[in-house]
């Protein structure tokens, strides 16, 4: 499929497992800056046979490159006929504000997949709208993919996948996450980011917290969460037990799997990414 959007620039491409990994730059109207994303297209994806898409959201400090280069997902994606889209984790550019102290857990690389309401962040940090609306439209307009979507992510991206999927069950078939920040309104990472991006209104914070969302609305999508018990962030930042309890009370379809000895790294993701792709394929093929 040819790319006709003049703002969409191909930065790189590589053939892998008979499909193509491609990286693009484009101008985002929602984020008011240039953005980069990567897409893996499986071998049989054509305009006549469009592929369903798994959107992958990465964690703090990451870009589109971390998952695509480290997760070892392409062989199984090619086998299942699933495209993968990996966006960046925040807006970037000279005019985009950053944490004045240069901290890794806020600002550039730490968009938290929300729509900021506070100055100076609200001009650019509209990652929720970018992921839910702008990026999928761009991808569906210019690549051989269908409107069938699933969503997954890691850490901060796991938080994004859970909250976006729970809030938009009509847009996605399934949700999965590795080591997600499950209850951000009560942990340091989330409280810092939410206070800056959203102000002190706790009702706005709850709109981007998977545990709080499960308490307030039906959870219609199947969810798979994997967590390592050797993860150094498990007790202080991630709190999967809070998600499990909220899902149980809400009657949500959540499978939480704890894995002995695994940490927060991409070695953990590599170990179970095939199972996540197979999980999503079951529901993508039902639609």
């Amino acid at each position: 499929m040819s790319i006709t959007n003049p703002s969409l620039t191909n930065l790189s491409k590589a053939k892998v497992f008979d499909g193509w990994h491609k990286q693009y730059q484009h101008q985002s109207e929602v984020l008011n800056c240039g953005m980069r994303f990567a897409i893996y297209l499986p071998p049989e994806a054509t305009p006549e046979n469009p592929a369903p898409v798994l959107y992958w959201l990465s964690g703090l400090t990451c870009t589109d490159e971390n998952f695509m280069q480290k997760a070892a997902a392409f062989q199984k994606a090619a086998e299942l006929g699933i495209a993968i889209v990996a966006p960046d984790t925040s807006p970037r550019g000279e005019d985009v504000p950053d944490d004045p102290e240069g901290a890794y857990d806020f600002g550039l690389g730490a968009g938290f997949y929300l729509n900021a309401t506070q100055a100076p962040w609200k001009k650019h940090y509209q990652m929720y709208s970018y992921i839910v609306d702008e990026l999928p439209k761009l991808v569906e307009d210019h690549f051989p993919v269908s409107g069938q979507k699933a969503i997954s992510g890691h850490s901060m991206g796991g938080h994004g996948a859970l909250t976006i999927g729970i809030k938009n069950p009509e847009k996605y078939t399934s949700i999965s996450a590795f080591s997600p920040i499950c209850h951000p309104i009560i942990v340091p990472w989330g409280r810092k980011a939410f206070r800056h991006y959203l102000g002190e209104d706790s009702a706005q914070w709850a709109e981007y917290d998977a545990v709080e969302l499960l308490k307030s609305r039906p959870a219609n999508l199947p969810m798979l969460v994997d967590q390592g018990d050797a993860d150094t962030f498990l007790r202080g930042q991630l709190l999967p037990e809070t998600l499990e309890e909220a899902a149980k009370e809400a009657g949500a379809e959540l499978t939480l799997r704890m894995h002995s000895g695994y940490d927060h790294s991409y070695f953990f993701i590599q170990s179970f990414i095939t199972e996540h792709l197979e999980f999503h394929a079951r529901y993508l093929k039902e639609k």
Side-chain angles (χ1 to χ4, degrees), residues 205-237:
W205 290 24
E207 281 297 302
Y208 299 103
D209 183 299
V211 170
E212 297 301 315
L213 289 171
L214 285 175
K215 294 176 182 178
S216 64
R217 68 194 67 200
N220 300 325
L221 299 182
M223 295 178 281
L224 171 64
V225 173
D226 278 336
Q227 175 66 59
D229 69 3
D231 190 324
T232 56
F233 303 115
L234 175 59
R235 303 303 172 198
Q237 302 281 13

Side-chain angles (χ1 to χ4, degrees), residues 12-120:
S12 67
K13 65 178 181 178
K15 193 171 186 178
V16 52
F17 293 107
D18 288 326
W20 287 94
H21 170 273
K22 298 182 179 183
Q23 190 181 57
Y24 287 88
Q25 180 86 16
H26 75 104
Q27 188 66 28
S28 168
E29 295 182 4
V30 169
L31 303 177
N32 293 294
C33 66
M35 285 296 285
R36 196 175 71 189
F37 70 92
I39 184 168
Y40 176 71
L41 293 168
E44 67 269 31
T46 65
E48 295 74 32
N49 184 40
V53 184
L54 174 66
Y55 282 82
W56 172 270
L57 308 183
S58 290
L60 291 167
T61 77
C62 292
T63 69
D64 62 289
E65 294 181 340
N66 294 73
F67 178 83
M68 293 304 209
Q69 294 182 9
K70 296 180 180 180
F74 297 146
Q75 185 172 13
K76 179 54 68 170
E79 175 188 320
L80 295 172
I82 295 174
I84 302 173
V85 171
D88 203 345
T89 52
S90 80
R92 297 183 194 267
E94 292 183 3
D95 297 330
V96 177
D98 192 11
D99 187 311
E101 298 179 358
Y104 77 94
D105 56 355
F106 177 68
L108 298 184
F112 272 84
Y113 305 102
L114 52 72
N115 284 345
T117 60
Q118 304 300 300

Side-chain angles (χ1 to χ4, degrees), residues 169-191:
E170 75 286 355
K171 293 181 180 290
Y172 303 96
T173 62
S174 46
I175 307 166
S176 76
F178 289 85
S179 315
I181 306 171
C182 295
H183 202 0
I185 67 173
I186 66 168
V187 302
W189 278 342
R191 292 181 64 83

